Amino acid sequence: MNDFIFHNPTKVYFGTEQLAHLGEELATFGTKVLLVYGGGSIKKSGLYDRIHALLADAGLSVTSLGGVEPNPRHTTVNEGAVLCRREGVDVVLAVGGGSTIDCAKAIAATAPSTTDDVWDLIEGRATVGEVLPIVTVLTLAGTGSEMDGSAVISNKPRNLKCSLRTPLVRPRVTFEDPSLTATVPAYQTACGSIDIMSHIFDATYFTDQPQLDMLVRVQEEVLKTVIHFAPIALDDPANLDARANLMWASSWALNDFLFDGVKQQGACHVMEHELSAYYDITHGHGLAILIPRWLRYILDDTTAPLIHRFGVRCLDIDASLAPIAGAEATTCALAHFFFDTLGVAATFTDLGIDERHFADMADHACEHGPIQSIKTLTRDDVIAIYKLCL
Amino acid sequence: MNDFIFHNPTKVYFGTEQLAHLGEELATFGTKVLLVYGGGSIKKSGLYDRIHALLADAGLSVTSLGGVEPNPRHTTVNEGAVLCRREGVDVVLAVGGGSTIDCAKAIAATAPSTTDDVWDLIEGRATVGEVLPIVTVLTLAGTGSEMDGSAVISNKPRNLKCSLRTPLVRPRVTFEDPSLTATVPAYQTACGSIDIMSHIFDATYFTDQPQLDMLVRVQEEVLKTVIHFAPIALDDPANLDARANLMWASSWALNDFLFDGVKQQGACHVMEHELSAYYDITHGHGLAILIPRWLRYILDDTTAPLIHRFGVRCLDIDASLAPIAGAEATTCALAHFFFDTLGVAATFTDLGIDERHFADMADHACEHGPIQSIKTLTRDDVIAIYKLCL
């Protein structure tokens, strides 16, 4: 086990009656709020009006920035930073899923900085110093952005999707009301659930680094939670128990606890970010297509026991199988779960993706060298995995 | 599930090379440190000298308070508060196990307060306001005090052992180096391990309140971690993997994550605090004797399925048994684990405790009414459970 630091000071209000505390929490940071949100779903659901009423009751003045894209654009971030400066905003409030929260984080980092362009922060031409406080109201379980210190932003003209990583953008306060996710469509519920699982797979579960046995066990239980409750949420969208378990699993899959002591790049996330950058697909869908192919590609005598263990613990695979056979059965069962049980399309071809950009995507994925994970992936490996996904 | 707030801002440095950061972390709070420690073990191990060297290198001035008792006394707390005021201490550093950390927390709360006596804070005659920052170096896995917001203090003249509960006493920074626990004697290793398990049992696992399925699963994995690694640590005290798993389990069993949404009093802790108050026994030992008797006492048709589930998941009890038979087998297996595998004596009689104070202890345990837990316990129930422990 590597030494590690665990430090996650985000304060989380969890439950169906907690939004009542939104105004008082925002007021601790000042009086001027930038409200960041995405498409029109929060207007349709009435949440937009409810938030405005809560903020008005608390005597807060609000500037709004709506229309944040899935795979949020750097131009939207820059627009938000201009608003913060012009209005003297004290605190940035994100109401939405991971894209909205990531956009809000990036705005909060850019507004007080020396640049007008968040891309300067991402590429190191300017540094993140002071960051405006960030508060979130989560409406979609998946990305884990609500408790983590990272924001993923897309630069469409350059086909780039990159992370701004610093504990300074970790939300100060997060509101998680599972009833707010009852209206999330099936496709987004499925993709969010896959995203939760991917964080555990990619960041820590499939690793050759030593880690604490307790954490491996806990990772498996969070995975089993998603495998159990995601289909329930698809069948019965308003099932509060399923929504609550998925929401809390989302936060804990990425709030650093499960990663303690493991350092790897997250092979599937690196490969998927290229996909989203070029094709603007839903992150969790790209991951669903990649993960089973990636596992099959890296399956050998060294990785099979761990892949098989995951299958035994989480997917009812027969423990008595030989490791290779058990690992193969596991990748099939996982593909079945993603593509049949959760119902997301199984191939790049289904998404209209062909191989024309694979070479460029692989070049960028490996621009700092091969991807470090349980198996190091070169540029050629990345292309080979992409081809398996067609 | 009840609504809940999760907020644990303690920064934890975990690993064998982390103490090098102690000086820089303390220096963020000021220059004057009160070093609180217990018996002579940290002098014998060389840790005391190592800490002093680290603090000197960081240019910090140190006042020492040694000799903190197991079941720390309010008089020692008051002595520490006097030292803080006299020396103008900026930060309180605890080096030790739960008793030392609890004493340091209580000192940090008392020194800036309006009273000279911590008991005024515990009994509400004075209020906790500003609290000096607390930093801990953990040397014994068990109490979870290193990440929680509570300090348990004993008042010997009055035979009282009570908690000072406020998030203000949560340590700001905690250093967890599992190699520092390699020299912990077998008896303390066993009692600490039982204490970890008791926090999960008592605060949340055995409950009739609804809770998130994910958390129940995680509770079971932390319990299994202790059941697996405590015997390894007894057989092979320097086994770093076992010590690391026990240490991280200690912190997570009591840092609020596993309790999310459950509110109960912790029946065994309430009953055990009376024991320690009267007899000054080791907390984990009292819990070991109480827990299996308590489970047997509350075993009925409503509690049996949950007790049986614990046995199936964590102690290899046959899942096909009827609930009552399965629950009975579970309490026997748990008693076997505590008294045979971990080797702590099984009865009050072994500890020289007879029934002479049971009535007074039960009176005090129920002074605010019956104990609220999975089964409400009246004064008579408490006496009956004590008698089962003889």
Side-chain angles (χ1 to χ4, degrees):
Chain A
M1 179 204 65
N2 301 309
D3 287 6
F4 63 83
I5 295 172
F6 178 82
H7 186 214
N8 194 319
T10 300
K11 180 178 183 181
V12 181
Y13 285 86
F14 195 101
T16 56
E17 305 297 326
Q18 299 281 35
L19 263 187
H21 299 282
L22 179 62
E24 78 200 42
E25 285 290 346
L26 287 167
T28 64
F29 302 114
T31 59
K32 295 187 176 176
V33 179
L34 178 71
L35 168 61
V36 181
Y37 61 99
S41 65
I42 69 164
K43 289 195 174 166
K44 227 182 299 172
S45 70
L47 180 59
Y48 181 85
D49 290 338
R50 195 169 152 208
I51 297 275
H52 268 281
L54 288 165
L55 271 48
D57 285 351
L60 301 167
S61 73
V62 182
T63 304
S64 290
L65 176 71
V68 173
E69 311 82 2
N71 299 316
R73 310 294 193 264
H74 75 298
T75 48
T76 310
V77 173
N78 295 341
E79 193 186 329
V82 168
L83 288 176
C84 286
R85 288 172 181 175
R86 197 178 68 200
E87 304 295 332
V89 159
D90 298 309
V91 51
V92 181
L93 169 63
V95 181
S99 297
T100 298
I101 297 172
D102 281 1
C103 184
K105 288 173 169 178
I107 291 169
T110 306
S113 78
T114 55
T115 179
D116 298 328
D117 184 1
V118 65
W119 219 257
D120 289 338
L121 299 176
I122 287 174
E123 293 191 334
R125 287 183 296 279
T127 52
V128 178
E130 195 197 335
V131 171
L132 290 173
I134 297 148
V135 174
T136 85
V137 176
L138 186 64
T139 63
L140 195 154
T143 70
S145 186
E146 64 273 13
M147 269 185 105
D148 98 327
S150 171
V152 184
I153 304 298
S154 291
N155 184 326
K156 291 315 287 181
R158 292 177 56 195
N159 287 327
L160 293 174
K161 181 174 175 179
C162 299
S163 296
L164 180 66
R165 279 182 199 282
T166 157
L168 297 169
V169 300
R170 200 184 295 274
R172 304 286 190 95
V173 187
T174 278
F175 289 83
E176 303 195 19
D177 176 347
S179 71
L180 297 181
T181 64
T183 54
V184 171
Y187 177 69
Q188 296 299 341
T189 299
C191 290
S193 299
I194 293 160
D195 198 12
I196 298 171
M197 295 175 71
S198 79
H199 293 141
I200 297 175
F201 290 151
D202 220 13
T204 175
Y205 188 79
F206 292 117
T207 188
D208 57 354
Q209 296 173 38
Q211 56 178 326
L212 288 173
D213 189 62
M214 181 180 98
L215 295 178
V216 180
R217 292 170 173 278
V218 175
Q219 290 159 26
E220 287 165 344
E221 297 309 319
V222 178
L223 289 167
K224 283 155 78 173
T225 299
V226 178
I227 291 168
H228 180 72
F229 284 108
I232 295 174
L234 292 184
D235 284 349
D236 176 14
N239 185 307
L240 197 64
D241 194 35
R243 295 296 188 177
N245 274 281
L246 290 174
M247 194 169 237
W248 210 208
S250 159
S251 299
W252 285 84
L254 199 70
N255 75 358
D256 300 348
F257 170 47
L258 298 182
F259 307 163
D260 295 337
V262 174
K263 293 171 193 163
Q264 59 188 23
Q265 280 183 283
C268 291
H269 273 73
V270 174
M271 291 189 285
E272 201 292 320
H273 282 181
E274 298 306 313
L275 274 184
S276 294
Y278 276 80
Y279 295 101
D280 208 16
I281 63 170
T282 299
H283 178 54
H285 197 167
L287 290 164
I289 297 172
L290 280 162
I291 289 168
R293 275 75 177 202
W294 168 66
L295 286 175
R296 252 172 252 161
Y297 188 82
I298 64 169
L299 199 166
D300 64 15
D301 288 341
T302 62
T303 60
L306 183 55
I307 298 172
H308 185 201
R309 171 182 162 144
F310 160 64
V312 171
R313 299 283 178 108
C314 301
L315 291 166
D316 289 327
I317 299 299
D318 184 349
S320 69
L321 290 172
I324 294 280
E328 283 170 348
T330 299
T331 62
C332 291
L334 185 63
H336 171 70
F337 178 72
F338 288 165
F339 307 133
D340 301 321
T341 308
L342 299 187
V344 302
T347 67
F348 284 176
T349 311
D350 291 318
L351 297 182
I353 296 171
D354 58 27
E355 59 188 300
R356 82 184 71 173
H357 295 302
F358 285 180
D360 287 344
M361 288 157 58
D363 279 341
H364 189 253
C366 297
E367 72 173 344
H368 303 299
I371 302 170
Q372 302 301 323
S373 194
I374 183 168
K375 286 280 173 187
T376 300
L377 300 180
T378 65
R379 176 184 177 283
D380 289 346
D381 293 323
V382 171
I383 292 175
I385 293 167
Y386 283 149
K387 286 186 174 171
L388 290 174
C389 295
L390 285 169
Chain B
M1 178 203 65
N2 300 308
D3 287 6
F4 62 82
I5 295 172
F6 178 83
H7 187 212
N8 193 320
T10 301
K11 180 177 183 181
V12 181
Y13 284 85
F14 195 101
T16 55
E17 305 297 327
Q18 298 282 36
L19 262 188
H21 299 282
L22 179 62
E24 77 200 43
E25 286 290 347
L26 288 166
T28 64
F29 301 114
T31 58
K32 294 187 175 175
V33 179
L34 179 71
L35 168 62
V36 181
Y37 61 99
S41 65
I42 68 164
K43 289 195 172 165
K44 228 183 297 172
S45 71
L47 180 59
Y48 181 86
D49 291 337
R50 196 170 151 208
I51 297 275
H52 269 281
L54 288 166
L55 272 49
D57 285 351
L60 301 167
S61 73
V62 182
T63 304
S64 290
L65 176 70
V68 173
E69 311 82 1
N71 298 317
R73 307 297 193 262
H74 75 298
T75 47
T76 310
V77 173
N78 295 341
E79 191 185 330
V82 168
L83 288 177
C84 286
R85 289 172 180 175
R86 197 179 68 201
E87 304 295 332
V89 160
D90 299 307
V91 51
V92 181
L93 169 63
V95 181
S99 297
T100 298
I101 296 172
D102 281 2
C103 183
K105 287 172 169 177
I107 291 169
T110 307
S113 79
T114 55
T115 179
D116 298 329
D117 184 2
V118 65
W119 219 256
D120 289 338
L121 299 177
I122 287 174
E123 295 192 333
R125 287 184 296 278
T127 52
V128 177
E130 195 196 336
V131 171
L132 291 173
I134 298 147
V135 175
T136 85
V137 176
L138 186 64
T139 63
L140 195 154
T143 69
S145 186
E146 63 274 13
M147 268 185 105
D148 98 329
S150 171
V152 184
I153 304 297
S154 292
N155 184 324
K156 292 313 287 180
R158 292 177 55 196
N159 286 329
L160 293 175
K161 181 175 177 180
C162 299
S163 295
L164 181 66
R165 281 182 199 280
T166 159
L168 297 169
V169 299
R170 201 185 293 274
R172 305 286 192 97
V173 188
T174 278
F175 289 82
E176 303 195 19
D177 176 349
S179 71
L180 296 179
T181 64
T183 53
V184 171
Y187 177 69
Q188 294 300 340
T189 300
C191 290
S193 299
I194 293 159
D195 197 13
I196 298 171
M197 294 175 70
S198 78
H199 294 141
I200 297 175
F201 291 151
D202 221 12
T204 176
Y205 189 79
F206 292 118
T207 187
D208 58 355
Q209 298 173 37
Q211 57 178 326
L212 289 174
D213 188 64
M214 181 179 98
L215 295 178
V216 181
R217 292 169 173 279
V218 175
Q219 289 159 26
E220 287 166 344
E221 297 309 318
V222 178
L223 288 167
K224 280 154 80 172
T225 299
V226 178
I227 291 168
H228 179 73
F229 284 109
I232 295 174
L234 291 182
D235 284 349
D236 177 13
N239 186 307
L240 196 64
D241 193 34
R243 294 296 190 178
N245 274 282
L246 291 173
M247 193 169 238
W248 210 209
S250 159
S251 298
W252 285 83
L254 199 70
N255 75 359
D256 300 345
F257 170 47
L258 298 182
F259 307 163
D260 294 338
V262 173
K263 293 171 193 162
Q264 58 188 22
Q265 280 184 283
C268 291
H269 274 72
V270 174
M271 290 189 285
E272 200 293 320
H273 283 180
E274 297 306 312
L275 274 184
S276 293
Y278 277 80
Y279 295 102
D280 209 17
I281 63 171
T282 299
H283 178 54
H285 196 167
L287 289 164
I289 297 171
L290 281 162
I291 290 168
R293 276 76 177 200
W294 169 65
L295 286 175
R296 252 173 253 162
Y297 188 80
I298 64 169
L299 199 165
D300 64 15
D301 287 339
T302 62
T303 59
L306 183 56
I307 298 172
H308 185 201
R309 172 184 160 142
F310 160 64
V312 171
R313 299 282 179 110
C314 301
L315 290 167
D316 289 328
I317 298 299
D318 184 349
S320 69
L321 290 172
I324 294 280
E328 285 172 348
T330 299
T331 63
C332 291
L334 185 63
H336 171 71
F337 178 71
F338 287 166
F339 307 134
D340 300 320
T341 307
L342 299 187
V344 302
T347 68
F348 284 178
T349 311
D350 290 319
L351 297 181
I353 296 171
D354 59 27
E355 58 188 298
R356 82 184 70 174
H357 296 301
F358 285 177
D360 288 343
M361 288 157 57
D363 279 341
H364 189 254
C366 298
E367 72 173 344
H368 303 299
I371 302 170
Q372 302 303 322
S373 193
I374 183 166
K375 287 280 173 188
T376 300
L377 300 180
T378 65
R379 175 186 179 281
D380 289 346
D381 293 323
V382 171
I383 291 174
I385 293 168
Y386 283 150
K387 285 185 175 171
L388 290 175
C389 296
L390 285 168

